[in-house]
Amino acid sequence: MATTRTLADKPTGPLSGIRILDLTSVVNGAYGTQILADQGADVIKVEDPGSGRGDGGDIMRWAGHLPEGAPRGMGPIFLTINRNKRSILINMKSEPGKKALARLIRSCDVLTTSVRYDGMTRLGLSYEDVAAIKPDIIYVHAAGYGSDGPYAGEPAYDDLIQSASGMADILPRTDGNPIPRILPTLVADKVSGLFFSQAVTAALLHKARTGEGQFVEVPMLECVTSFLLVEHLYDHTFQPPTGQWGYQRVINPNRKPFATKDGYIGLLPYTDKQWDQFFDAAGVGEAVKTDPRFADYATRAKHTVELYGMIETAAATKTTQEWLDILKPLSIPVVKTNTLDDLDHDPHLNAVGFFETYDHPQVGAYRQIKPPVKFSKSPSNIRRHPPMLGEHTDEILAEIGGDEG
């Protein structure tokens, strides 16, 4: 059983002293604001009370299987992306709620939202409305699509953005099955969340230099398509194009973990020397070295399907541990292929303290993922449990001078 950790008593990250009003939900915006909260920001999560029948707040509160006796509204995904935040219940359509929100805005450096912009405008919370309350506010909007295009304002979820960005076309280009497929991870939400958190910090730097707030739009489609086309724009980088879409080495159907005698390994010789050493270890070095298809990087790049096929054949001749013992001393990139179940026991993740166990006063023991980025002078930390719905309403209202939400 992992040692239960104690929450830190104060923020030590580089954003300590920054207050963020968080009107995001689900994964995209909430993932981004948790990164900012880990880095020290005081993130105030605004949640709607709903009907009072257990349907209020962030929808991620209600997904998943809770431990017996744990209160509803503390689902597993909510716990992984909402630590270090405070939750306040505000009915943003009521007059008392609007007044409380205005007081909150005056106390904050940044307002973040993933509500569609038309909805924010109807609530009286457009950028112009908010800037009238606090002129130097940084207003960061997690949009589905950029406001200059014909998709502006349309609903957007991870599945839709994977479809629209070309992400769903990657597996068909890899395995020949023509049916577009969604990658089984919320890649669009999480990639957009990373762009989102970086946009907040960049706008804070601009404000520190100039005193100016601004409106920042973080559109999912543009973020994810940009992310995808780093390598897959490929020969269409040139005009006119010189060849194909898609980086061939990456969409190679043989680019995969390779089966050994007793498991799988991730393996990628990269330099000429590493390729020679690997095939020598596999006992076929001379045959490969004299094959003109594999003479150097340029020729190997044209024949990656065949090359990776040869790795597959070679990998099956030894156990996973035998390959690790042979290839690691040669500095050939190799790693045991983990299943999700293996992550609990991975020696590196255990050594860096990747999983941390805390004791939530309502939920009980639960795990958090250690903030992955290390700051030598201003380290991120975990100082608040993911909040119960509205847990900090009274506390926050007292800070801003008011008793109604």
Side-chain angles (χ1 to χ4, degrees):
M1 182 72 177
T3 302
T4 300
R5 295 180 61 89
T6 303
L7 295 173
D9 60 356
K10 62 181 180 179
T12 55
L15 297 181
S16 179
I18 297 296
R19 177 173 278 191
I20 298 174
L21 190 59
D22 184 4
L23 277 70
T24 69
S25 61
V26 195
V27 174
N28 174 4
Y31 179 54
T33 55
Q34 178 173 274
I35 293 170
L36 302 170
D38 287 351
Q39 293 172 359
D42 177 18
V43 175
I44 298 174
K45 185 177 183 71
V46 177
E47 300 191 77
D48 186 90
S51 67
R53 297 193 299 270
D55 59 351
D58 190 329
I59 195 172
M60 284 294 102
R61 287 185 174 277
W62 312 107
H65 304 94
L66 275 65
E68 186 175 351
R72 294 184 65 240
M74 297 298 285
I77 298 177
F78 181 85
L79 265 61
T80 62
I81 54 174
N82 284 287
R83 67 178 177 226
N84 284 333
K85 302 179 186 180
R86 296 192 286 169
S87 171
I88 181 172
L89 281 179
I90 294 182
N91 180 352
M92 293 187 288
K93 296 178 182 179
S94 72
E95 285 307 313
K98 290 177 181 178
K99 290 177 181 178
L101 202 58
R103 291 195 299 272
L104 265 176
I105 288 168
R106 292 188 190 100
S107 75
C108 290
D109 302 284
V110 184
L111 181 148
T112 63
T113 178
S114 57
V115 178
R116 280 192 276 173
Y117 196 70
D118 284 350
M120 293 295 287
T121 301
R122 287 193 297 272
L123 289 168
L125 292 172
S126 69
Y127 170 65
E128 290 75 18
D129 295 326
V130 173
I133 298 170
K134 185 174 175 61
D136 64 348
I137 195 74
I138 294 169
Y139 187 118
V140 184
H141 181 226
Y145 310 95
S147 57
D148 295 330
Y151 303 161
E154 293 185 9
Y157 297 96
D158 191 276
D159 299 37
L160 303 184
I161 298 301
Q162 286 204 43
S163 293
S165 66
M167 191 74 73
D169 183 45
I170 295 301
L171 290 176
R173 288 174 180 267
T174 302
D175 62 16
N177 177 347
I179 299 173
R181 275 157 286 159
I182 302 297
L183 301 182
T185 180
L186 299 177
V187 62
D189 274 353
K190 291 180 287 186
V191 165
S192 299
L194 293 172
F195 275 92
F196 184 91
S197 62
Q198 191 277 331
V200 170
T201 53
L204 283 167
L205 178 60
H206 175 82
K207 183 176 178 179
R209 288 173 169 172
T210 67
E212 296 176 333
Q214 61 180 302
F215 177 78
V216 182
E217 183 177 77
V218 186
M220 292 178 71
L221 177 61
E222 287 89 320
C223 288
V224 174
T225 307
S226 170
F227 176 84
L228 178 71
L229 293 185
V230 165
E231 74 275 32
H232 290 309
L233 184 59
Y234 205 51
D235 292 333
H236 282 249
T237 300
F238 304 105
Q239 292 297 301
T242 56
Q244 66 189 42
W245 290 90
Y247 180 21
Q248 185 59 49
R249 188 186 74 76
V250 173
I251 58 175
N252 179 344
N254 288 326
R255 180 182 180 247
K256 58 188 177 183
F258 299 106
T260 65
K261 283 185 174 180
D262 62 349
Y264 290 84
I265 53 172
L267 171 64
L268 183 62
Y270 210 74
T271 66
D272 290 344
K273 180 180 178 181
Q274 288 172 352
W275 281 111
D276 288 346
Q277 289 175 318
F278 170 73
F279 283 118
D280 282 344
V284 293
E286 288 307 313
V288 175
K289 291 174 189 176
T290 58
D291 191 323
R293 296 176 300 171
F294 312 127
D296 53 33
Y297 179 88
T299 54
R300 283 197 303 272
K302 295 177 181 178
H303 299 283
T304 54
V305 173
E306 300 96 318
L307 189 65
Y308 283 26
M310 294 176 69
I311 296 178
E312 183 173 21
T313 299
T317 63
K318 304 180 189 302
T319 68
T320 296
Q321 191 60 51
E322 285 173 338
W323 279 120
L324 295 175
D325 292 342
I326 291 169
L327 300 180
K328 280 184 178 264
L330 299 175
S331 297
I332 294 175
V334 63
V335 69
K336 172 183 176 288
T337 298
N338 282 331
T339 66
L340 289 176
D341 306 87
D342 293 331
L343 296 179
D344 268 340
H345 315 292
D346 183 272
H348 179 87
L349 294 179
N350 285 336
V352 301
F354 185 78
F355 293 110
E356 299 181 333
T357 300
Y358 291 85
D359 188 18
H360 195 287
Q362 285 81 32
V363 177
Y366 73 107
R367 290 201 291 182
Q368 289 286 276
I369 295 166
K370 180 182 179 181
V373 177
K374 293 177 67 174
F375 294 85
S376 64
K377 302 294 185 183
S378 53
S380 300
N381 62 19
I382 298 177
R383 58 200 180 276
R384 291 184 181 275
H385 298 298
M388 297 287 289
L389 180 61
E391 178 179 343
H392 303 96
T393 300
D394 292 343
E395 173 183 298
I396 295 167
L397 287 175
E399 291 174 5
I400 62 175
D403 57 4
E404 293 181 311

